[in-house]
Amino acid sequence: MAVEAPSKHVFDFDDDDDDGPIVFKRNNTSSSKQNQLNSEVKKASSQRYDGQSGRPASDARVLNGQSTGSQNKSIPPSKSPPVRSPILSPKSSNSSAKASPVRSPVVNSKASTSLNDQSKQAMRQNKFTAVKEEKSPMKTTETNSDDDDDDDDDDDDDSQPLSARLKGISSQGNKGASTSTPAQSQRLVPKIEIKVSAEDPDDEAPLSARFKMKSNTGTSSNKPYESHEKKPLASKIQQNGSIMKDKQQKSSLLSDKRPLDKGNSSDQSYAKKPKISDTPTTLKSKQLTVKAEKAEEDDDHIPISQRIKKSVSSDSKTSSMKQKATKVVSSLKKINKNSKKEMKKSKYGKSTKLSPSSGDGQKKWSTLVHNGVIFPPPYKPHGIKMLYDGRSVDLTPEQEEVATMFAVMKDTDYMSKPQFKKNFWEDWSKILGRGHIIKGLDKCDFTPIYEWHLEEKEKKKQMSSEEKKALKEEKLKQEEKYMWAIVDGVKEKVGNFRVEPPGLFRGRGEHPKMGKLKRRIRPCDITINIGKDAPIPECPIPGERWKEIKHDNTVTWLAFWNDPINPKEFKYVFLAASSSLKGQSDKEKYEKARLLKDYIKNIRATYTKNFTAKDVTKRQIAVATYLIDKLALRAGNEKDDDEADTVGCCTLKVGNVECIPPNKLKFDFLGKDSIQYVNTVEVELPVYKAIGQFQTGKSKTDDLFDELDTSKLNAHLKELMPGLTAKVFRTYNASITLDDMLNKETRDGDVAEKVVIYQRANKEVAIICNHQRTISKSHSAQMSRLTEKITELKGVLKELKTDLDRAKKGKPPLKDADGKQKRNLSPEAIEKKIAQTNVKIEKMERDMQTKEDLKTVALGTSKINYLDPRITVAWCKRHEVPIEKIFNKSLLAKFAWAMDVDPDFRF
DNA sequence: CTACAGACTTGCCCCAAGCCTC
DNA sequence: GAGGCTTGGGGCAAGTCTGTAG
């Protein structure tokens, strides 16, 4: 494997999975990004840590945690025990996964969602209302200080998540508002101080720790050989984490490994250079500094409710929990060690920052080694003859291949789409050639091929598990070498190293190109990006060669080819989500969103003021920003005619918005992936009026915001906050909603109950973001089965009650349905049974409700992309919920960078 | 300033595995 | 042990956003 080759010094280490530290290194190391990350990290962690450091206890803890912390942790022996049962984790995952996905191409799922919509609306409405009140903007500006964690600020609702507001409106509105006040007062109290320390037994620590280990092993283990090399960072990390205690040293070593600038760079970051790039940097630096000082105030941003909780709970329980949590997570921490260090530094040094992540043009890596990509096997003709006009037709392998692509899609919705067939025919007929017998699709009968396909599928299914296993291993063996890359000396998983196979284009919605042939990609289509000193990957297809070899370390892709459907576009091969490169940018994304917290008040004030601006563009920007903020709409870039006709905020058409007096707007449009967005919301009157103005004199298909496009909008947003773009609002509102809901609604209870709270918050976010899924085909069957079971149980209950009455009178129970005599039980025993049955019924009814509620809501997308994992990790630590209950294995790997967060972390 | 190229992130669905129930 | 349901991850389409050339 490629990996070994590079081996570079560094590499070797991998073996030990333990070296958790590696991860850190990365962060540090990675040059530009690293910096950023570092900086961010610093913030984030530092914030809490550093920032807090100012603060009493917590800080201390943190610090310790970082460097020493690990030691401390290690101290508690308790840990070890917990570590073990890895098993748990899997289960947990299940639990977490609540919503099961269903598929079926329903476009309008939304309709079904009506309920959701309602709730949404409610929420939103609240928001709106709330918003208005908030207006007092000003603060922000000056405030810029962002802090990472905390900032102070306003207590206003601004900081609050939309959801909060919304809710507030609906029913709960009060909570938010009322609560808030008190909260503030309390907020300072916070946290930590109490942190008592840690003694807690880590027992609980659970899974996460173990998990990590596992995962590592898992990954690595699979591979026979080197556990070392192979292990993904994440795993390493985790392991490290767990191990860490002892290992700190190691970590250091590791860090050393990363020779690249990185390590240093990280330092720099600490140092904080005055930002390079953009504004963001500046901000950041500011933030940092500010933060330090502010520490106390910080919480202002936090929704009151949250604060309250913090303060309150924080005390004893919290602290203890924290400790525990910490421990649990501690393993993870190790990972972060480096980061922590950085943070510390940052504190001191604060300042600098790194360039913003994107770091355009910035160096993303110093050395990059990988093995290129793997191609799908060549087509193997099956020789099954399709029919044309009732007669079997001979096809060349090439013609047959494309015919098979079509035949196999027989039972999909695409077959009912004329556009699909038309495009397919256009491409296939070219391959058939002019004089071919087949003159059109109408007389084609692909059934023989379809049936052959079904048989093949069935054969595969019927293979013995040994055969399946052998096949799997064979595949793994072939792919092994492509699965890993070595970035700056660290082995990282590659995301999509398999070249896309040929097929028919499955565009979503009414895509004009659906059905077109996506031709086979060959080596001569592929550009490889690799380190200068790395060996160029051997072209896996004999006699062919790569299109081009590049050594561009300002980008993260390992390879790309032009999309055969749209040659102007590219298909990239990137590292996996668990890689530190991706982790860094993920973290940066969330830090930016957190930064928005400091500016949001001002931004809202600004757009509110501009609802009535004289200048139309200004007014449109104001209204668009409002919609993006309140409804979490996407920016809405312009699209070409050869793409599906979907819209986002800036591309809304007049017909997509209906004004309903006195001040409601009904939105109905197809958004990304042609998912319908339907929502009726109450808006502030000026917004309502402005929309009306934008609509007058236009036809339904005209642009609502005719003066606007995403670049203008984003340019404006950047004036308000460095680095701010439309999509940041989605991240911000999603994360702050989660943070707020979790903190408001979590109560004492068992883990399962807390998980339900989490799911509910997750669902709220999914609704805000309009993350839908199609209703499972078997949904209604499942529901009726549940209903039946419940009915049955109720029958049982009734019988039991009868038996109970009789038993009390000393009579024997009645015979059962089969006429058999039932066992004679004591009244106590029957009562117990009744109670058990009741519990069962309740649980089933709850499950049913959940299933119904989530039938069109997809929770996964927000979890993966919008919810700052630190919120979840910190909450888990605070409430002693094993992180595995919320994050599955891949999310744990993806969010390795967040595991070490302080339990007090608030978005 | 616009259009386009380029580089990522986000998003839904599919499907093989694993899990659960009977 | 079979069959149905759930899950996790892969696949790849479809967005966002930045930089640059003209």
Side-chain angles (χ1 to χ4, degrees):
Chain A
M1 0 239 49
V3 179
E4 303 171 5
S7 56
K8 326 223 142 201
H9 16 332
V10 185
F11 218 166
D12 326 355
F13 303 0
D14 328 10
D15 315 335
D16 355 20
D17 317 52
D18 315 330
D19 334 354
I22 301 175
V23 180
F24 268 112
K25 299 174 179 181
R26 272 224 163 225
N27 300 336
N28 308 332
T29 41
S30 22
S31 45
S32 56
K33 285 195 173 181
Q34 303 169 352
N35 301 332
Q36 301 175 351
L37 292 178
N38 299 332
S39 56
E40 299 176 0
V41 177
K42 300 168 183 179
K43 294 175 171 189
S45 23
S46 53
Q47 317 166 343
R48 297 329 157 93
Y49 303 100
D50 307 0
Q52 299 184 351
S53 47
R55 307 176 184 182
S58 55
D59 300 352
R61 233 222 244 143
V62 178
L63 297 176
N64 300 337
Q66 304 177 350
S67 45
T68 21
S70 48
Q71 305 172 355
N72 299 337
K73 293 180 179 182
S74 56
I75 302 174
S78 47
K79 299 178 177 182
S80 44
V83 181
R84 314 118 181 229
S85 47
I87 309 171
L88 306 179
S89 34
K91 291 188 175 183
S92 48
S93 57
N94 300 339
S95 56
S96 58
K98 26 258 45 264
S100 46
V102 181
R103 349 71 215 249
S104 44
V106 179
V107 180
N108 315 328
S109 31
K110 284 228 156 171
S112 50
T113 339
S114 52
L115 295 178
N116 301 332
D117 292 336
Q118 296 181 359
S119 57
K120 288 183 185 179
Q121 299 180 8
M123 299 180 59
R124 279 157 198 168
Q125 297 177 0
N126 297 327
K127 268 189 178 181
F128 296 136
T129 14
V131 178
K132 289 191 171 185
E133 308 165 14
E134 307 175 357
K135 307 208 167 176
S136 47
M138 337 306 337
K139 261 191 166 179
T140 3
T141 355
E142 341 146 351
T143 338
N144 15 3
S145 42
D146 358 3
D147 30 78
D148 312 318
D149 313 14
D150 15 349
D151 312 9
D152 24 324
D153 343 334
D154 7 343
D155 342 305
D156 346 44
D157 319 72
D158 295 328
S159 27
Q160 300 199 354
L162 305 182
S163 55
R165 305 173 186 173
L166 300 176
K167 296 180 176 183
I169 304 171
S170 48
S171 47
Q172 313 178 341
N174 357 349
K175 285 188 179 182
S178 52
T179 352
S180 52
T181 3
Q184 299 185 348
S185 49
Q186 302 183 356
R187 44 154 143 156
L188 297 184
V189 183
K191 2 184 148 215
I192 331 184
E193 336 248 41
I194 311 176
K195 299 190 159 191
V196 183
S197 50
E199 347 326 294
D200 332 358
D202 321 56
D203 313 5
E204 336 171 331
L207 324 184
S208 41
R210 311 161 187 180
F211 216 101
K212 302 169 182 182
M213 312 250 316
K214 278 188 169 187
S215 53
N216 303 330
T217 39
T219 357
S220 51
S221 58
N222 298 338
K223 331 184 154 207
Y225 340 108
E226 55 295 17
S227 26
H228 11 328
E229 312 175 344
K230 312 213 159 179
K231 306 200 168 187
L233 298 181
S235 51
K236 296 174 181 180
I237 300 174
Q238 299 174 351
Q239 298 182 355
N240 300 333
S242 42
I243 304 168
M244 297 293 293
K245 317 165 177 186
D246 1 4
K247 302 201 170 182
Q248 295 181 343
Q249 307 173 350
K250 285 191 176 186
S251 57
S252 54
L253 296 177
L254 298 172
S255 41
D256 300 342
K257 290 181 174 186
R258 299 245 167 172
L260 324 176
D261 29 344
K262 356 288 261 16
N264 312 330
S265 54
S266 57
D267 299 348
Q268 299 177 355
S269 53
Y270 301 67
K272 292 185 171 187
K273 354 173 141 207
K275 28 279 301 358
I276 316 177
S277 44
D278 359 359
T279 33
T281 334
T282 23
L283 296 175
K284 290 184 179 184
S285 48
K286 291 181 182 180
Q287 301 176 348
L288 298 176
T289 25
V290 178
K291 288 184 177 184
E293 307 149 8
K294 298 190 175 184
E296 327 82 79
E297 312 177 343
D298 310 350
D299 305 13
D300 304 58
H301 291 301
I302 304 181
I304 306 173
S305 53
Q306 302 181 1
R307 300 171 189 169
I308 300 178
K309 289 187 176 184
K310 281 187 174 183
S311 44
V312 180
S313 58
S314 57
D315 328 26
S316 49
K317 271 198 178 179
T318 325
S319 53
S320 59
M321 300 170 63
K322 291 178 180 181
Q323 300 173 353
K324 292 182 178 183
T326 335
K327 295 178 179 181
V328 177
V329 187
S330 58
S331 46
L332 305 176
K333 291 187 176 182
K334 300 172 180 184
I335 303 170
N336 305 326
K337 291 179 180 182
N338 302 318
S339 53
K340 290 184 178 182
K341 291 181 179 181
E342 301 177 359
M343 302 160 113
K344 292 181 178 181
K345 293 182 178 183
S346 59
K347 283 186 170 185
Y348 308 125
K350 281 184 177 189
S351 58
T352 340
K353 4 276 305 339
L354 354 161
S355 43
S357 39
S358 44
D360 331 318
Q362 299 204 351
K363 188 160 126 184
K364 303 274 174 42
W365 46 265
S366 292
T367 66
L368 173 62
V369 182
H370 63 85
N371 284 315
V373 293
I374 187 169
F375 291 86
Y379 179 68
K380 269 210 297 204
H382 47 65
I384 308 296
K385 307 235 186 300
M386 58 170 289
L387 307 176
Y388 182 71
D389 204 9
R391 280 181 290 190
S392 62
V393 185
D394 285 326
L395 296 177
T396 66
E398 196 191 3
Q399 294 163 349
E400 179 195 285
E401 180 181 15
V402 181
T404 304
M405 292 171 187
F406 187 78
V408 160
M409 294 180 71
K410 187 167 192 238
D411 60 355
T412 67
D413 288 352
Y414 287 108
M415 283 305 156
S416 58
K417 300 193 173 181
Q419 182 71 236
F420 184 86
K421 292 187 191 170
K422 175 173 168 278
N423 287 333
F424 167 72
W425 173 248
E426 270 176 26
D427 285 356
W428 189 44
S429 61
K430 279 182 217 153
I431 294 172
L432 291 175
R434 262 196 213 168
H436 204 275
I437 311 171
I438 297 177
K439 303 290 185 205
L441 274 186
D442 290 350
K443 293 180 181 170
C444 286
D445 182 358
F446 296 89
T447 312
I449 299 179
Y450 178 66
E451 284 174 353
W452 165 83
H453 162 72
L454 291 182
E455 281 165 26
E456 290 296 303
K457 227 163 124 183
E458 185 58 27
K459 272 189 209 163
K460 223 172 156 189
K461 221 171 167 181
Q462 296 305 325
M463 283 193 302
S464 68
S465 53
E466 289 76 36
E467 289 173 309
K468 283 183 186 168
K469 203 172 162 191
L471 271 181
K472 204 173 165 186
E473 276 171 16
E474 174 65 19
K475 191 182 176 211
L476 185 68
K477 202 171 154 192
Q478 285 177 1
E479 296 185 338
E480 172 73 35
K481 73 182 237 189
Y482 301 101
M483 294 170 64
W484 306 93
I486 302 175
V487 186
D488 295 338
V490 177
K491 191 173 175 178
E492 302 270 20
K493 223 170 179 171
V494 177
N496 52 328
F497 51 85
R498 299 178 192 91
V499 170
E500 292 178 18
L504 302 183
F505 178 67
R506 302 183 178 210
R508 306 196 182 129
E510 296 306 312
H511 195 115
K513 293 191 171 182
M514 65 169 87
K516 284 181 68 65
L517 173 63
K518 208 169 71 165
R519 57 162 259 261
R520 184 175 290 269
I521 301 301
R522 335 193 70 219
C524 60
D525 294 313
I526 296 181
T527 299
I528 297 282
N529 190 35
I530 197 160
K532 267 206 174 96
D533 300 326
I536 293 170
E538 185 188 338
C539 178
I541 300 181
E544 300 202 26
R545 48 186 298 182
W546 304 115
K547 179 178 183 182
E548 190 183 350
I549 303 292
K550 295 181 87 171
H551 309 289
D552 184 354
N553 69 0
T554 67
V555 295
T556 65
W557 54 266
L558 310 184
F560 85 85
W561 64 88
N562 287 88
D563 179 7
I565 295 297
N566 192 344
K568 286 184 302 190
E569 291 179 356
F570 316 89
K571 297 283 198 175
Y572 293 93
V573 174
F574 291 117
L575 291 174
S578 57
S579 66
S580 64
L581 225 42
K582 290 284 191 191
Q584 279 185 302
S585 78
D586 217 25
K587 186 172 194 172
E588 287 164 12
K589 172 182 78 183
Y590 290 115
E591 282 306 306
K592 195 189 272 182
R594 292 180 76 206
L595 185 55
L596 177 52
K597 223 177 30 176
D598 301 329
Y599 290 82
I600 194 70
K601 187 174 182 178
N602 192 37
I603 290 169
R604 287 174 178 162
T606 302
Y607 67 56
T608 300
K609 191 181 79 198
N610 288 337
F611 287 156
T612 52
K614 288 259 164 66
D615 181 77
V616 184
T617 307
K618 219 171 179 179
R619 224 181 316 139
Q620 293 196 354
I621 286 176
V623 174
T625 309
Y626 172 84
L627 297 179
I628 284 169
D629 182 20
K630 300 312 176 199
L631 303 181
L633 299 189
R634 295 187 185 82
N637 282 319
E638 301 292 334
K639 299 189 73 180
D640 288 345
D641 292 339
D642 59 358
E643 296 178 272
D645 197 12
T646 62
V647 303
C649 185
C650 293
T651 42
L652 279 170
K653 307 292 179 237
V654 169
N656 294 137
V657 188
E658 184 190 338
C659 294
I660 303 174
N663 63 336
K664 283 187 184 167
L665 296 177
K666 179 179 179 187
F667 293 85
D668 187 348
F669 60 88
L670 294 184
K672 182 176 178 181
D673 292 318
S674 293
I675 297 291
Q676 190 184 17
Y677 181 95
V678 183
N679 195 10
T680 303
V681 295
E682 196 170 315
V683 298
E684 298 181 40
L685 206 53
V687 171
Y688 180 82
K689 286 182 179 164
I691 294 279
Q693 290 165 7
F694 302 151
Q695 289 178 324
T696 51
K698 293 182 190 168
S699 77
K700 291 213 163 193
T701 54
D702 286 341
D703 287 331
L704 179 67
F705 298 114
D706 52 302
E707 295 289 320
L708 209 51
D709 63 33
T710 54
S711 53
K712 278 183 197 159
L713 179 66
N714 283 335
H716 172 255
L717 293 177
K718 284 201 172 59
E719 288 173 4
L720 301 176
M721 181 190 113
L724 183 63
T725 62
K727 76 174 199 146
V728 178
F729 285 91
R730 264 168 89 80
T731 310
Y732 165 78
N733 281 313
S735 286
I736 204 147
T737 296
L738 176 74
D739 190 83
D740 186 49
M741 278 191 74
L742 288 181
N743 282 281
K744 262 192 198 151
E745 303 185 9
T746 307
R747 332 232 111 88
D748 287 342
D750 61 26
V751 170
E753 289 169 327
K754 289 174 185 164
V755 169
V756 169
I757 300 287
Y758 187 92
Q759 293 179 347
R760 208 176 295 151
N762 192 169
K763 177 188 159 196
E764 218 50 68
V765 172
I767 290 172
I768 290 172
C769 294
N770 198 35
H771 291 147
Q772 299 188 36
R773 59 176 184 158
T774 53
I775 300 177
S776 145
K777 284 176 190 160
S778 59
H779 178 79
S780 60
Q782 289 173 29
M783 292 302 279
S784 42
R785 207 171 303 132
L786 281 173
T787 309
E788 266 174 39
K789 280 188 180 171
I790 290 173
T791 311
E792 197 182 311
L793 281 175
K794 284 185 175 166
V796 171
L797 198 61
K798 204 173 167 188
E799 266 185 45
L800 284 171
K801 282 179 181 163
T802 309
D803 291 347
L804 179 61
D805 287 343
R806 294 177 62 89
K808 281 180 179 166
K809 294 174 189 164
K811 295 182 189 169
L814 294 174
K815 294 183 179 173
D816 67 14
D818 299 334
K820 288 184 194 162
Q821 183 61 52
K822 285 186 282 191
R823 225 166 28 119
N824 219 342
L825 296 173
S826 69
E828 294 72 34
I830 298 176
E831 274 170 353
K832 197 175 165 192
K833 272 195 162 186
I834 289 176
Q836 288 172 339
T837 310
N838 271 323
V839 170
K840 240 185 195 172
I841 292 174
E842 279 167 25
K843 180 174 183 298
M844 281 192 139
E845 286 177 337
R846 227 180 305 131
D847 288 351
M848 221 173 128
Q849 187 59 48
T850 307
K851 196 182 270 269
E852 181 64 26
D853 288 349
L854 295 178
K855 71 180 177 188
T856 58
V857 183
L859 303 186
T861 306
S862 51
K863 219 188 224 180
I864 294 173
N865 300 303
Y866 289 107
L867 301 177
D868 188 333
R870 291 170 297 183
I871 297 168
T872 301
V873 173
W875 176 81
C876 282
K877 288 180 182 180
R878 266 181 268 134
H879 299 283
E880 300 179 28
V881 174
I883 188 70
E884 297 80 9
K885 293 278 181 198
I886 311 291
F887 289 158
N888 62 31
K889 194 172 122 195
S890 60
L891 287 180
L892 284 174
K894 172 175 168 139
F895 297 140
W897 59 268
M899 293 302 160
D900 165 13
V901 70
D902 188 277
D904 290 324
F905 177 90
R906 295 300 304 272
F907 183 74

